Amino acid sequence: MRRGANGKPQVIRGFEGALGKKTSYSNNFFTFVYDLNRDGWPDILTIGFPGTAAIWYENPGNEGLKSGTLWKAHVAFDTVDNESPTFADLLGDGRPVLLCMSGGFIGYAAPDPDNPTNKWTFHPISPKGDYQRFTHGLGYGDVNGDGRADILEANGWWEQPASVVGDPVWRFHKQPFNLGGSQKQVYGGSQMYTYDVNGDGLPDVITVLAAHNYGLVWYEQLKDRDAHGDIQFKQHIIFNQKPSENKYGVAFSEMHAVAMADVDGSGMEDIITGKRFWAHGRDGGGFDDEPNGPAVLYWFKLVRNADKSVDFIPYLIDDNSGVGTQVVVGDVNGDGLPDVIVSNKKGTFVFLQYVKTVIKRVWEKAQPKVQ
């Protein structure tokens, strides 16, 4: 409860977030929408605190939605590790799977299409390692251009074999997509992506060096291979800890959620990210750099220059919302322009994009009213 502008007590329902004083967490870190039981109605898959279960909620259909019927909950998978799992078509068969870590393995949990309420089957792709629920950095994409999606993690990438029948161990290619160094810095980023940034036909990697610290980067895939014939990468820092380290003077920490989308209709993918607000509470819990810094939200426009160099031009969307563990981009109001949705301890926010002039894109901040 808090007092409104008129001095009267005001009840705020839901998670206490920035209104409270405890270092607490919600029980919903990720949400994905997909028709899991193939009845024509989209269901909702949720993933809670790292190391807990993935739950999917069954859409009750037209009559159930009209009557306010509660959605039936089904446990999909018991233990989802890593702080950036995703639900995506990893195998290229049109059926999304849950990419995550579990029990010390990297792998994916796949639903049974014929029995959607059964628990999902986990398919490990790595030997057992030190992967645990708070491991940072995970993504997927076709790194070597063979038409199959590989798995990205903070220490390198795992090459998908021609066949996954029998759950073979995927080939590991070591490449530090992180800061390295001290124990605090070594853990890696958040969501990871492959994309041909510079237009040379080779997939590059976009990631964050440390999810609770600094460093938005892209790794350029080089044409030359190393002595063993393996792919080499060159690191390019978009921005780091100090504003003086980039020509735009931008610097913020804790990019614990990153998305890629063509924001401006250029035909090229841009980066959307921001500062996670109070990841470990008001004082940062000893993990977070600048826990009370401005909760900014940015999009970075990809520009390919005539000299073959590239630039990511930062545009501020908002300075008082930031990101949580997931940022979603989609056309919310059906006007053909991508909008941005974020949620964290400050609340849930929708940013509707509209073109004010030919060159300027403006974002209208929409937030549900407190009832």
Side-chain angles (χ1 to χ4, degrees):
M1 181 180 295
R2 68 177 179 183
R3 294 192 179 277
N6 59 3
K8 294 183 178 180
Q10 183 183 26
V11 176
I12 310 297
R13 294 184 175 87
F15 180 65
E16 67 175 16
L19 300 177
K21 297 181 179 179
K22 298 184 295 184
T23 302
S24 56
Y25 299 90
S26 74
N27 59 2
N28 188 333
F29 273 50
F30 296 89
T31 300
F32 304 95
V33 178
Y34 186 74
D35 182 6
L36 287 161
N37 58 1
R38 296 186 293 180
D39 65 353
W41 293 93
D43 308 301
I44 297 176
L45 173 67
T46 66
I47 301 169
F49 191 81
T52 61
I55 310 291
W56 72 275
Y57 294 87
E58 184 177 351
N59 191 321
N62 188 50
E63 294 303 318
L65 292 172
K66 288 180 179 179
S67 63
T69 300
L70 294 178
W71 295 31
K72 188 175 181 180
H74 305 274
V75 176
F77 186 58
D78 288 320
T79 308
V80 182
D81 294 337
N82 190 282
E83 294 203 18
S84 299
T86 192
F87 187 59
D89 184 9
L90 174 69
L91 304 179
D93 59 3
R95 295 177 178 177
V97 297
L98 177 58
L99 172 59
C100 63
M101 298 172 179
S102 190
F105 298 90
I106 302 176
Y108 58 93
D112 181 348
D114 298 320
N115 298 284
T117 59
N118 286 353
K119 285 190 177 181
W120 298 5
T121 301
F122 185 69
H123 301 268
I125 64 94
S126 73
K128 189 169 185 177
D130 295 330
Y131 307 112
Q132 41 85 19
R133 60 178 177 167
F134 299 129
T135 300
H136 287 71
L138 191 63
Y140 72 103
D142 185 2
V143 176
N144 57 358
D146 64 359
R148 297 186 292 271
D150 309 301
I151 292 178
L152 302 163
E153 53 126 321
N155 301 300
W157 60 283
W158 297 83
E159 181 180 347
Q160 183 174 159
S163 173
V164 297
V165 175
D167 294 339
V169 172
W170 297 14
R171 181 185 174 191
F172 179 64
H173 301 263
K174 186 176 181 180
Q175 168 63 48
F177 295 121
N178 54 35
L179 280 175
S182 71
Q183 185 66 32
K184 179 180 179 181
Q185 296 174 327
V186 74
Y187 48 75
S190 50
Q191 288 85 1
M192 304 175 69
Y193 300 92
T194 60
Y195 183 68
D196 183 4
V197 172
N198 56 3
D200 66 354
L202 297 175
D204 308 303
V205 174
I206 298 92
T207 186
V208 175
L209 292 177
H212 294 287
N213 306 118
Y214 299 91
L216 179 63
V217 300
W218 69 280
Y219 286 84
E220 177 186 2
Q221 184 175 154
L222 304 178
K223 289 183 171 61
D224 296 332
R225 298 294 190 258
D226 66 14
H228 303 286
D230 211 350
I231 291 173
Q232 298 186 86
F233 292 91
K234 179 182 179 181
Q235 184 193 84
H236 298 270
I237 296 178
I238 300 171
F239 73 89
N240 210 340
Q241 183 172 358
K242 299 178 181 179
S244 60
E245 293 174 323
N246 65 88
K247 63 184 176 181
Y248 300 106
V250 171
F252 58 90
S253 63
E254 292 200 89
M255 289 161 280
H256 213 300
V258 178
M260 294 197 69
D262 183 2
V263 174
D264 58 351
S266 67
M268 295 183 291
E269 297 280 292
D270 309 300
I271 299 173
I272 303 92
T273 188
K275 178 179 175 60
R276 182 178 175 185
F277 177 70
W278 282 6
H280 296 97
R282 188 186 300 269
D283 63 0
F287 298 97
D288 308 337
D289 286 323
E290 299 182 312
N292 293 290
V296 295
L297 178 64
Y298 274 87
W299 72 282
F300 293 80
K301 175 182 173 64
L302 172 59
V303 175
R304 292 173 180 157
N305 302 313
D307 63 358
K308 306 298 183 180
S309 66
V310 302
D311 202 2
F312 281 98
I313 304 175
Y315 291 92
L316 180 66
I317 297 175
D318 187 61
D319 64 357
N320 191 27
S321 54
V323 299
T325 52
Q326 183 180 27
V327 55
V328 177
V329 182
D331 185 3
V332 174
N333 57 356
D335 64 357
L337 298 174
D339 308 305
V340 178
I341 304 171
V342 297
S343 182
N344 57 30
K345 292 184 176 77
K346 277 188 177 288
T348 299
F349 305 88
V350 178
F351 294 92
L352 301 176
Q353 179 187 176
Y354 64 95
V355 180
K356 191 173 184 179
T357 67
V358 175
I359 60 172
K360 185 175 182 181
R361 291 172 181 269
V362 184
W363 303 81
E364 176 186 350
K365 187 175 182 179
Q367 182 181 20
K369 294 181 180 179
V370 176
Q371 301 296 323

